[in-house]
Amino acid sequence: MTTTDLVERTRRFVRDVVVPAEPPVGTPLEPAARRSLQRQAREAGVFAPHVPTRFGGQGLRLGEWSAVFQEAGYSPIGPAVLNCMAPDEGNMLLLERVATPAQQERYLAPLAAGETRSCFAMTEPHPGAGSDPAALTTTARRVDGGWAIDGEKRFISGAEEADVAIVMARTPDVGPEAATMFLVEMGADGVSIGHGIRTLETAITGGHPHVHFRDCVVPDDAVLGTPGEGFRHAQVRLGPARLTHCMRWLGLARRAHDTALDRVRHRELFGSPLAELGIAQALVADSEIDLATAAALVDRAARTLEDDARAGAQASSIAKVHCSEAVGRVVDRAVQLCGGDGVTLELPLLAFQNEVRPFRVYDGSSETHRWAIARRAVARREREVDAGERVLDRAEADR
């Protein structure tokens, strides 16, 4: 099956099967309904598009994900049904690229099949790790036969339904600044779910709670990747994960835009269809521009990440900032164009706003990414000048 075929099959499945099965506005998908819809997705051949075929997925490479993920994201529950929703999707990629064969068999295979759930435990209460992973306070110390993990995590998406967590911990026994990732089963001794954090969105099921690790002992084979290389390994996940958020929420923004297009076609004001009024046309055009530019930046970043991780980090940050803000604008314009209905629960647009608003914070705030984008740009120009390029900001009299 070609990528084009998979895009079309996903489009039809989401619109014909998933959208009619959506729960009431603002209500999360129940686990039993999720399992039923996932079974239908497998039968339709659209399940786990990003997962290698040897683990039961469709085997798409990163550069091919966007169109399929956008079709999945046309419904808030679509990515969960197709098993390409955060945090599981990013964890699958990390396990595929970093885990040992034994770890893949134990954790990736059932995760890819939709039989288990996972979470990524890095964010911590202040002053711990958040936008700055280097502030990590959770520690893991060597003990006989393994490691003992101590610390508190917060805003751990999906943790309430997760079977396993990928835990980031500082490992001073390896080095003063070293961090290591561990595969920790949520039922292990010393792991407990704490305060649940309520958020605007509902598509990421399993909550966003605090998770406590108190003398949680795991064996040596629970280390994911190489001890002390946790920050480096995390980049394998974080760059693509930013983009997959973009892809999914672009799909939801397209649905909001389609809703607005239907409204301007059918609604008449002052003797003319709304679609013929200049103010409405400007809103529609701006949303078309936002959707097109966001999709182009995501495609570019995905291709770049496949070829060059360093350049891909800059491209994914740029795409993430632009897309997270663009989808918010698109949904907001759809609300405006739908008038009174737009600000009620008669249409799902308010729920869509709640879904996309956190994206400007998730996976690095827009401000953090702008800081990183600017630093990389300045460093790039410095390297160019050091390599012999002419300095351009000198006034003629100063040359």
Side-chain angles (χ1 to χ4, degrees), residues 20 34 38 42 61 130 164 191 193 242 248 291 294 317 326 361 365:
R34 173 185 173 130
Q38 285 187 335
R42 290 190 198 93
R61 60 179 181 80
V164 62
V191 181
I193 300 291
R242 296 182 194 118
R248 289 184 290 261
L291 291 169
S317 286
V361 175
S365 65

Side-chain angles (χ1 to χ4, degrees), residues 90-101:
N91 292 341
M92 290 182 221
L93 177 66
L94 183 59
L95 289 166
E96 176 200 340
R97 296 189 179 180
V98 177
T100 65

Side-chain angles (χ1 to χ4, degrees), residues 67-120:
V68 175
F69 276 51
Q70 286 186 54
E71 292 298 343
Y74 200 78
S75 168
I77 65 171
V81 171
L82 270 63
N83 201 21
C84 60
M85 186 59 178
D88 292 328
E89 162 265 315
N91 292 341
M92 290 182 221
L93 177 66
L94 183 59
L95 289 166
E96 176 200 340
R97 296 189 179 180
V98 177
T100 65
Q103 289 171 334
Q104 290 177 342
E105 184 66 26
R106 183 171 181 176
Y107 297 111
L108 176 55
L111 193 59
E115 298 168 358
T116 59
R117 299 287 309 283
S118 66
C119 59
F120 188 75

Side-chain angles (χ1 to χ4, degrees), residues 355-366:
E355 294 297 328
V356 304
R357 177 58 183 87
F359 188 27
R360 286 161 54 191
V361 175
Y362 290 174
D363 277 359
S365 65
S366 294

Side-chain angles (χ1 to χ4, degrees), residues 12-332:
R12 291 271 56 90
F13 180 78
V14 169
R15 298 179 190 222
D16 295 345
V17 177
V18 178
V19 170
E22 289 174 354
V25 172
T27 303
L29 183 63
E30 292 293 330
R34 173 185 173 130
R35 289 191 293 270
S36 174
L37 289 166
Q38 285 187 335
R39 183 172 59 252
Q40 295 176 66
R42 290 190 198 93
E43 294 169 354
V46 297
F47 191 73
H50 59 297
V51 172
T53 54
R54 70 182 185 276
F55 292 110
Q58 306 304 317
L60 294 183
R61 60 179 181 80
L62 178 59
E64 299 171 322
W65 290 4
S66 184
V68 175
F69 276 51
Q70 286 186 54
E71 292 298 343
Y74 200 78
S75 168
I77 65 171
V81 171
L82 270 63
N83 201 21
C84 60
M85 186 59 178
D88 292 328
E89 162 265 315
N91 292 341
M92 290 182 221
L93 177 66
L94 183 59
L95 289 166
E96 176 200 340
R97 296 189 179 180
V98 177
T100 65
Q103 289 171 334
Q104 290 177 342
E105 184 66 26
R106 183 171 181 176
Y107 297 111
L108 176 55
L111 193 59
E115 298 168 358
T116 59
R117 299 287 309 283
S118 66
C119 59
F120 188 75
M122 183 175 74
T123 305
E124 299 170 337
H126 182 77
S131 292
D132 180 8
L136 193 67
T137 61
T138 298
T139 61
R141 69 185 189 281
R142 289 192 186 276
V143 296
D144 288 343
W147 303 78
I149 303 172
D150 286 282
E152 180 180 358
K153 302 293 185 176
R154 75 178 295 273
F155 216 98
I156 306 307
S157 300
E160 292 170 0
E161 296 181 1
D163 300 280
V164 62
I166 298 175
V167 181
M168 182 76 81
R170 195 169 294 283
T171 43
D173 292 341
V174 179
E177 301 298 325
T180 302
M181 289 192 292
F182 297 90
L183 289 160
V184 181
E185 295 183 10
M186 294 297 287
D189 290 342
V191 181
S192 61
I193 300 291
H195 172 66
I197 300 172
R198 297 181 62 185
T199 64
L200 286 172
E201 43 75 22
T202 61
I204 301 177
T205 58
H208 306 275
H210 289 238
V211 181
H212 302 275
F213 299 89
R214 297 288 182 266
D215 199 28
C216 173
V217 177
V218 297
D220 282 321
D221 62 8
V223 172
L224 179 58
T226 305
E229 296 292 327
F231 289 135
R232 183 173 65 86
H233 293 326
Q235 294 307 312
V236 172
R237 181 189 191 280
L238 295 177
R242 296 182 194 118
L243 294 184
T244 54
H245 272 319
C246 292
M247 298 168 190
R248 289 184 290 261
W249 273 313
L250 265 174
L252 197 62
R254 290 187 186 281
R255 177 153 165 210
H257 186 51
D258 284 349
T259 303
L261 290 174
D262 286 343
R263 175 53 58 100
V264 300
R265 289 189 309 110
H266 297 140
R267 180 70 165 166
E268 288 192 6
L269 289 175
F270 311 114
S272 298
L274 192 55
E276 294 180 7
L277 298 180
I279 294 176
Q281 290 173 339
L283 294 174
V284 168
D286 285 345
S287 288
E288 287 281 323
I289 293 166
D290 271 339
L291 291 169
T293 53
L297 285 171
V298 170
D299 285 338
R300 171 179 169 270
R303 292 192 301 269
T304 304
L305 270 174
E306 286 185 316
D307 300 329
D308 183 342
R310 182 174 180 176
Q314 180 78 338
S316 68
S317 286
I318 291 171
K320 195 273 182 183
V321 172
H322 178 80
C323 186
S324 66
E325 296 178 0
V327 298
R329 293 191 295 265
V330 171
V331 177
D332 187 70

Side-chain angles (χ1 to χ4, degrees), residues 336-355:
Q336 194 71 14
L337 285 165
C338 288
D341 287 336
V343 296
T344 70
L345 296 182
E346 300 300 307
L347 295 176
L349 295 176
L350 287 183
F352 293 175
Q353 278 195 317
N354 286 345
E355 294 297 328

